[in-house]
């Protein structure tokens, strides 16, 4: 697959088909997407020539904005000009945007949020409309196609470089997920994740590579059930791509089911654990849809394993007392469990998941130290006996392989020590979730003077939470060079968009749960407080925002 050539072909065969639909039905056809991105590439090329060598010395292009269809024009225009692009979503906390721009040092910032006119002028400028685009300018091979920043353990974001080869190899696989690529032609894909999160690569490029239509769901809509239901009524989705947490949230609305979305045939989940609980609820609401669990980090181009969770797999999982499997590796990828490991209770060899293969990133942008820590090269024996050197990545995820399937059980860094005891937070969370009154639980450490003093569990129960108090995020306005400061005023310096959390600490409830937990866990693993919460806060990437839970004064 060569995504840029594929889009050029689609512009010829499906020129009038909607490639992407944004707010208010703003449509960009395949022909417009191709032409506008050519013009932007011509402008960028004129600005500073093309990349000068195979190492792609041209600086990257930052693209700031939200769910505007023209974001895709910027991404493709940059790639067609031989430059990497880096998406920055408006939901990113301003401190994070500032750090990212500082680390990226972009050649140009295309700011669609505050200055869309610059792009419109470029697209309409006769100097660009009349000049000819040269396909040889485009990013190719090991050159970086995009850079997505992820949080780093040191507190500074790390830019993951994904090459054209990585993206194209990934698409060869993702286009076949759940159904053949040809069957996805003309289908409507949900885009839930912001473009700054690599999950969006799954819906965006898989959809475009198959000639589908990408439906962009704005954050504003995601935060309001009424708007969201309206969006679903107007958008007959065929293929769903989101984190499991987002589907969980949608299921808070009783009408979210196959009557609302009768054409929804495939759910693709990635980015965090798909819990048995989420699967069960979803299966009831959408009995005939295919539910596919995918696993992978940004560092290996979105996802590397997949499995359809059929009733058979589900029943086997329950019978064996496991979490749902993450499946088998895609072609061109090998999944291994690090050698220095111990066995889990079922005798499976537990350890860090190592990914080797043709979608592993070339490393972190301008960060050789972190690159050397996480990435390495491995010799892989080919079928014909020859050996090839392939890139590998240490995920930091804890997992095991049983019956040929990968199971993810947590992070190697979610292990804590409290009062000298070694504790896996996931272990407590799982035991809490297994209790009949609790459907979901997150346990966070409570620190004092740099030491973990106790644990607090936040749990979702079947009963309504009568709040003792609500939690709101704090404000922090800071300057951001390179971006119009006005747009960032009044934005919260936190990832969370769900600001009002209903929280209730009920002593009797807490005591009752602790008593039940004590049956299964040693007393040093029992959280000091069990607090009811109406939902788990999510960060802008759609994952549970543990930091926000940690910051709650309870
Ligand atoms: P990100 O780079 O933001 O996509 O996050 C990647 C991380 O999300 C992985 O390293 C895992 O810790 C977690 N993750 C992704 N998919 C799954 C899954 N199916 N099950 C459990 N954890 C997952």
């Amino acid at each position: 697959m060569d995504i840029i050539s594929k889009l050029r072909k689609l512009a010829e065969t499906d020129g009038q088909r909607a490639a992407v639909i944004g707010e208010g039905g703003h449509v960009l056809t395949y022909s417009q997407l191709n032409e506008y991105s050519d013009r932007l590439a011509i402008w960028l090329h004129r600005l500073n020539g093309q990349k000068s060598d195979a190492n792609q010395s041209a600086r990257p292009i930052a693209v700031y904005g939200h769910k505007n269809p023209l974001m895709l024009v910027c991404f493709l225009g940059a790639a067609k000009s031989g430059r990497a692009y880096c998406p920055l979503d408006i939901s990113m906390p301003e401190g994070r945007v500032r750090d990212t721009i500082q680390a990226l040092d972009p050649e140009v910032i295309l700011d669609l949020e505050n200055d869309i006119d610059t792009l419109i002028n470029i697209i309409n400028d006769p100097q660009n409309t009349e000049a000819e685009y040269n396909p040889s300018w485009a990013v190719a091979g090991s050159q970086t196609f995009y850079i997505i920043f992820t949080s780093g353990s040191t507190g500074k974001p790390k830019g993951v470089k994904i090459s054209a080869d990585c993206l194209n190899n990934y698409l060869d696989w993702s286009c076949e997920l759940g159904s053949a690529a040809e069957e996805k032609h003309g289908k409507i894909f949900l885009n839930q994740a912001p473009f700054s999160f690599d999950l969006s690569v799954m819906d965006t490029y898989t959809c475009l590579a198959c000639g589908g239509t990408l439906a962009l769901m704005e954050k504003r809509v995601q935060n309001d059930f009424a708007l969201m239901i309206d969006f679903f009524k107007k958008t007959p989705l065929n293929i769903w791509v989101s984190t499991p947490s987002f589907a969980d949230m949608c299921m808070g609305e009783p009408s979210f089911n196959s009557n609302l979305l009768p054409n929804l045939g495939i759910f693709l989940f990635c980015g965090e654990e798909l819990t048995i609980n989420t699967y069960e609820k979803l299966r009831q609401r959408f009995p005939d849809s295919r539910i596919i669990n995918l696993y992978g980090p940004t560092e290996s181009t979105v996802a590397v394993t997949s499995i359809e969770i059929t009733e058979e797999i589900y029943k086997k999982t329950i019978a064996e007392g496991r979490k749902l499997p993450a499946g088998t590796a895609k072609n061109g990828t090998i999944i291994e469990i690090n050698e220095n490991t111990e066995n889990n209770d079922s005798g499976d060899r537990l350890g860090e998941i190592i990914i080797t293969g043709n979608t592993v990133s070339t490393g972190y942008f301008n960060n050789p130290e972190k690159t050397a820590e996480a990435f390495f090269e491995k010799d892989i024996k080919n079928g014909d006996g020859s050996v090839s050197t392939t890139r590998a990545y240490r995920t930091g995820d804890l997992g095991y392989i049983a019956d040929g399937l990968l199971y993810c059980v947590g992070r190697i860094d979610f292990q804590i020590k409290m009062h000298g005891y070694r504790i896996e937070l996931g272990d407590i969370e799982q035991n809490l979730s297994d209790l009949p009154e609790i459907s979901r639980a997150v346990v966070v450490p409570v620190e004092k003077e740099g030491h973990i003093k106790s644990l607090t569990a936040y749990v979702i129960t079947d009963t309504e939470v009568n709040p003792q108090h609500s939690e709101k995020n704090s404000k922090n306005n800071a300057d951001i060079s390179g971006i119009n400061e006005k747009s960032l005023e009044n934005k919260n310096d936190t990832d969370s968009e769900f600001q009002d959390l209903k929280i209730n600490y009920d002593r009797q409830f807490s005591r009752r749960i602790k008593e039940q937990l004590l049956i299964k866990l040693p007393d040093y693993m029992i959280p000091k407080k069990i607090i009811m919460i109406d939902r788990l806060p999510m960060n802008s990437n759609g994952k549970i925002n543990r930091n926000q839970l940690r910051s709650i004064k309870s």
Side-chain angles (χ1 to χ4, degrees):
M1 158 92 54
D2 171 2
I3 184 66
I4 292 180
S5 315
K6 179 80 197 197
L7 285 168
R8 195 167 300 288
K9 281 199 196 105
L10 280 164
E12 286 163 17
T13 57
D14 292 65
Q16 294 318 303
R17 183 184 295 287
V20 51
I21 305 178
E23 194 191 1
H26 180 189
V27 167
L28 210 57
T29 63
Y30 274 93
S31 146
Q32 288 168 326
L33 184 60
N34 190 48
E35 269 176 39
Y36 297 171
S37 53
D38 275 0
R39 294 175 196 173
L40 176 59
I42 290 166
W43 180 79
L44 285 166
H45 183 73
R46 231 187 18 257
L47 197 70
N48 212 2
Q50 74 180 100
K51 82 260 176 180
S52 57
D53 55 33
N55 295 324
Q56 198 180 14
S57 59
R59 279 151 64 208
I61 305 299
V63 186
Y64 183 75
H66 188 48
K67 306 259 178 162
N68 187 325
L70 291 174
M71 293 285 278
L72 302 188
V73 169
C74 297
F75 301 164
L76 291 166
K80 284 178 168 181
S81 81
R83 289 156 177 81
Y85 69 83
C86 174
L88 302 170
D89 189 80
I90 57 164
S91 61
M92 286 165 76
E94 57 189 73
R96 181 66 170 247
V97 173
R98 186 180 46 229
D99 284 352
T100 306
I101 287 180
Q102 205 176 32
L104 198 65
D105 185 24
E107 183 180 357
V108 172
I109 299 173
L110 295 167
D111 180 354
L112 270 58
E113 189 60 16
N114 310 291
D115 175 23
I116 195 141
D117 288 347
T118 298
L119 180 67
I120 305 278
N121 291 339
I122 292 169
I123 289 172
N124 292 321
D125 185 344
Q127 286 198 80
N128 305 321
T129 57
E130 285 161 18
E132 206 163 321
Y133 169 70
N134 180 346
S136 74
W137 298 340
V139 163
S142 62
Q143 293 168 343
T144 306
F145 197 101
Y146 66 79
I147 300 169
I148 281 186
F149 277 75
T150 64
S151 66
S153 51
T154 55
K156 290 278 175 208
K158 293 179 293 190
V160 181
K161 294 188 290 179
I162 295 298
S163 67
D165 276 348
C166 285
L167 178 62
N168 290 327
N169 289 332
Y170 164 75
L171 288 172
D172 283 338
W173 174 70
S174 73
C175 287
E176 304 291 334
L177 287 168
S179 64
E182 303 83 70
E183 287 174 39
K184 295 190 176 81
H185 186 246
K187 294 284 192 276
I188 304 179
F189 286 63
L190 171 69
N191 162 263
Q192 173 257 325
F195 293 121
S196 54
F197 181 31
D198 87 322
L199 181 58
S200 69
V201 170
M202 184 182 298
D203 47 74
T204 303
Y205 286 108
T206 309
C207 170
L208 295 182
C210 294
T213 296
L214 187 68
L216 307 179
M217 190 195 245
E218 291 192 5
K219 199 78 198 163
R220 186 178 58 83
V221 175
Q222 297 181 26
N223 287 349
D224 183 322
F225 272 138
L227 292 179
M228 201 155 67
I229 296 301
D230 198 45
F231 175 96
F232 290 140
K233 279 184 186 154
K234 288 188 192 140
T235 318
L237 295 174
N238 302 109
I239 298 172
W240 177 284
V241 179
S242 83
T243 56
S245 288
F246 181 70
D248 255 338
M249 195 193 77
C250 292
M251 286 191 283
E253 166 59 48
S255 69
F256 179 76
N257 56 34
S258 56
N259 293 328
L260 180 66
L261 289 165
N263 302 328
L264 189 43
I266 302 173
F267 284 91
L268 300 176
F269 289 119
C270 193
E272 62 183 352
E273 181 190 350
L274 172 64
T275 63
I276 288 177
N277 190 275
T278 302
Y279 169 79
E280 286 170 341
K281 284 191 291 181
L282 202 64
R283 177 54 75 219
Q284 275 183 352
R285 307 272 187 116
F286 294 88
D288 300 323
S289 302
R290 309 184 87 164
I291 299 175
I292 299 183
N293 189 21
L294 297 121
Y295 157 82
T298 306
E299 283 85 342
S300 189
T301 323
V302 196
V304 286
T305 71
S306 74
I307 184 165
E308 180 176 353
I309 309 294
T310 56
E311 275 304 280
E312 193 189 343
I313 295 278
Y314 162 70
K315 283 185 186 144
K316 186 168 180 282
T317 302
I318 297 283
E320 292 175 353
R322 301 183 192 271
K323 286 170 181 270
L324 288 171
T328 49
K330 66 174 199 48
N331 253 345
T333 293
I334 297 170
I335 298 283
E336 286 164 307
I337 303 300
N338 198 333
E339 300 274 307
N340 307 319
T341 54
E342 47 194 272
N343 290 352
N344 68 6
D345 294 346
S346 335
D348 307 300
R349 202 156 54 80
L350 201 60
E352 184 179 15
I353 300 169
I354 307 292
I355 300 172
T356 309
N358 63 8
T359 53
V360 172
S361 156
T362 47
Y364 297 116
F365 182 74
N366 274 350
N367 198 338
E369 219 170 273
K370 289 277 164 208
T371 299
E373 275 173 27
F375 297 92
F376 60 103
E377 301 214 310
K378 225 178 141 141
D379 286 341
I380 300 293
K381 245 201 181 142
N382 303 314
D384 60 5
S386 63
V387 171
S388 47
T389 305
T390 310
R391 285 190 69 73
Y393 172 65
R394 299 183 181 90
T395 63
D397 290 322
L398 194 66
Y400 65 89
I401 295 171
D403 293 337
L405 299 178
L406 175 70
Y407 289 81
C408 302
V409 295
R411 290 285 304 172
I412 52 177
D413 46 11
F414 268 21
Q415 180 180 286
I416 59 155
K417 273 213 168 180
M418 186 172 69
H419 309 312
Y421 292 109
R422 181 170 152 170
I423 300 172
E424 283 292 345
L425 297 179
D427 195 356
I428 309 172
E429 290 170 1
Q430 187 60 51
N431 278 285
L432 276 165
S433 307
D434 286 345
L435 297 176
E437 282 181 85
I438 293 174
S439 60
R440 202 80 202 268
V442 173
V443 176
V444 294
V446 179
E447 289 183 28
K448 246 187 208 161
E449 288 146 12
H451 291 284
I452 299 173
K453 295 286 178 194
S454 63
L455 301 173
T456 298
Y458 289 93
V459 299
I460 296 187
T461 65
D462 294 335
T463 49
E464 206 185 320
V465 178
N466 295 314
Q468 274 177 330
H469 73 272
S470 313
E471 276 292 318
K472 279 188 188 278
N473 295 323
S474 60
K475 274 188 183 171
N476 179 353
N477 300 325
D479 291 351
I480 294 188
S481 55
I483 286 217
N484 184 336
E485 291 155 30
K486 262 233 142 14
S487 67
L488 296 156
E489 283 173 11
N490 303 324
K491 266 175 55 54
N492 296 325
D493 196 13
T494 161
D495 266 359
S496 176
E497 288 287 332
F498 278 99
Q499 297 171 7
D500 291 311
L501 296 173
K502 291 183 193 154
I503 290 162
N504 185 11
Y505 177 58
D506 174 334
R507 255 175 219 285
Q508 271 183 347
F509 170 82
S510 186
R511 195 174 309 134
R512 190 169 70 242
I513 297 296
K514 284 194 218 175
E515 275 165 12
Q516 293 175 56
L517 211 51
L518 260 171
I519 297 171
K520 298 189 189 172
L521 295 176
D523 58 358
Y524 64 81
M525 285 179 75
I526 307 297
K528 192 169 166 196
K529 281 187 174 174
I530 316 264
I531 295 177
M532 286 183 270
I533 193 161
D534 67 332
R535 63 181 177 270
L536 294 169
M538 282 188 273
N539 63 27
S540 55
N541 291 342
K543 297 190 187 188
I544 291 166
N545 190 339
R546 288 173 182 266
N547 285 340
Q548 192 180 351
L549 290 174
R550 273 172 175 236
S551 69
I552 294 174
K553 302 269 174 288
S554 51

